[in-house]
Amino acid sequence: MNDNQYPNQQGYPQQGYPQQQYQGQPQQWQNQQYQGQQVPPQQQQWQGQQVPPQQQWQGQWQQQPQQQWAQTPPPSSSGSSVGLVIGLVIGGIFLIVILLGLIIAPALIKYMNKAEQAQQQAHQQAQQQSQQTQTTTGSSSHSDDVTFSDDYFAANNWVGVNDTALIIPESDGTFVWYRDKNDKDGDYYSGEYKLYIGDDAVEYLTTESEVKDSVTEDDIKELEAPEYGATRDNFVCLVLTNNKEVYYGEEHTYEGDDRVTTTLYGYFVNDKQGYKLTLVKYDNPYEFNLSPEEK
């Protein structure tokens, strides 16, 4: 073998590689050395002494990033899904609250307005009742404990509230009814009267009066208004029998069966106008309202 064929032959033994093994079996050397029996010097440097840049980069990529990923794993897609679901739920609840507010708010406002109106009406009614009480107290010169009786009736003149009438009763059972209280020389009626109160008035009207066949106790009961004192105890019958009449300046006198008897019935009440005697005649819509006036 020519020694110059392998110029580096003297250098290989210094690295620990047998000369014969290299010279005689180049193919076997090549197969064995690279299969793990012995590694060429260049590969020894790569494995033990110095790693090529590419392998250094691969080692860092294989070790350091894996350690970083183990410490701080990337965000999980399941966490994002949970957050999205929670957001949708909260948004749905908020939307429901808004819709309920839009539905309930108008009804609540309407209810509050009605409540306020009812309160104002109640306040106005209370004021009206207070004013009525004050008017009643101021318009009547009598106490609130007035009891209607024959003596009370005869002790007062009775002045028309809704007309100009004036009735002057006397304790002897006579009366004068002036058509115009301001003109005592004008038209008037005079005669005798009888007064029935309470049960006596009911009995007389339904059993003895000229309208006894037309008025019943049930009819009388329908007229009652306890809030104004129109009760059975204050039911009144005023029976007037005319003996004399002056009508448009002409005087007429009645005797015996020619006398005309008229029964007026109603209640002695106390309302916003004060105490008054409210009387009607059967089958006549006109209502006589007479207020007491001390003589």
Side-chain angles (χ1 to χ4, degrees):
M1 181 180 294
N2 189 356
D3 294 336
N4 294 325
Q5 186 177 357
Y6 298 99
N8 294 329
Q9 182 179 5
Q10 297 298 323
Y12 279 103
Q14 294 179 3
Q15 299 294 331
Y17 292 90
Q19 182 179 2
Q20 295 178 356
Q21 193 175 8
Y22 176 77
Q23 293 177 354
Q25 299 177 353
Q27 185 67 34
Q28 183 179 1
W29 156 263
Q30 191 175 20
N31 293 336
Q32 292 179 357
Q33 304 300 326
Y34 285 89
Q35 290 178 0
Q37 294 180 1
Q38 289 186 0
V39 182
Q42 185 177 5
Q43 291 189 2
Q44 288 181 1
Q45 290 179 358
W46 291 355
Q47 293 179 0
Q49 296 178 2
Q50 185 177 2
V51 181
Q54 183 178 2
Q55 292 187 2
Q56 289 179 357
W57 176 82
Q58 291 179 353
Q60 293 176 359
W61 180 80
Q62 293 175 356
Q63 294 178 4
Q64 295 178 359
Q66 289 181 357
Q67 292 177 359
Q68 292 177 359
W69 293 349
Q71 293 175 0
T72 56
S76 175
S77 60
S78 62
S80 300
S81 300
V82 172
L84 179 61
V85 171
I86 293 175
L88 291 175
V89 171
I90 294 175
I93 294 174
F94 184 71
L95 181 60
I96 292 173
V97 171
I98 293 176
L99 292 176
L100 290 176
L102 294 175
I103 295 173
I104 296 174
L108 182 60
I109 293 173
K110 185 177 180 180
Y111 173 78
M112 292 178 65
N113 290 335
K114 287 185 177 180
E116 184 177 358
Q117 291 176 358
Q119 185 177 5
Q120 291 177 354
Q121 291 177 356
H123 182 66
Q124 292 176 356
Q125 290 177 356
Q127 287 182 340
Q128 291 176 357
Q129 291 178 356
S130 177
Q131 292 175 357
Q132 290 177 2
T133 302
Q134 293 175 359
T135 303
T136 300
T137 303
S139 63
S140 176
S141 59
H142 309 286
S143 67
D144 291 337
D145 296 331
V146 169
T147 300
F148 189 75
S149 63
D150 291 337
D151 293 338
Y152 181 80
F153 180 72
N156 291 274
N157 294 332
W158 295 86
V159 181
V161 176
N162 53 348
D163 56 29
T164 59
L166 171 63
I167 300 176
I168 300 177
E170 301 295 342
S171 58
D172 61 358
T174 61
F175 78 94
V176 178
W177 186 323
Y178 292 99
R179 186 184 298 273
D180 185 352
K181 62 184 176 183
N182 298 318
D183 184 12
K184 292 184 174 60
D185 294 329
D187 296 347
Y188 68 90
Y189 301 93
S190 65
E192 301 172 355
Y193 75 87
K194 290 183 179 179
L195 188 66
Y196 299 92
I197 302 171
D199 292 336
D200 294 338
V202 174
E203 183 178 358
Y204 173 82
L205 186 63
T206 57
T207 61
E208 300 181 34
S209 71
E210 69 276 14
V211 295
K212 62 183 178 181
D213 296 329
S214 302
V215 181
T216 64
E217 290 195 27
D218 290 338
D219 295 332
I220 297 172
K221 189 173 182 62
E222 290 180 358
L223 300 175
E224 294 181 0
E227 62 273 20
Y228 297 113
T231 62
R232 188 182 181 95
D233 292 339
N234 290 331
F235 186 68
V236 177
C237 275
L238 179 61
V239 183
L240 302 175
T241 302
N242 295 342
N243 294 332
K244 185 179 179 179
E245 175 186 8
V246 176
Y247 186 70
Y248 288 103
E250 296 183 3
E251 182 177 326
H252 301 277
T253 303
Y254 305 101
E255 296 180 357
D257 294 339
D258 292 336
R259 297 186 302 174
V260 177
T261 299
T262 303
T263 301
L264 304 177
Y265 59 92
Y267 296 91
F268 179 71
V269 298
N270 183 10
D271 61 11
K272 63 181 180 180
Q273 296 176 330
Y275 289 106
K276 67 181 182 180
L277 189 59
T278 301
L279 302 173
V280 296
K281 180 183 177 182
Y282 179 77
D283 202 21
N284 189 330
Y286 189 78
E287 185 178 273
F288 299 93
N289 290 291
L290 304 169
S291 178
E293 183 181 81
E294 288 186 353
K295 294 179 178 180

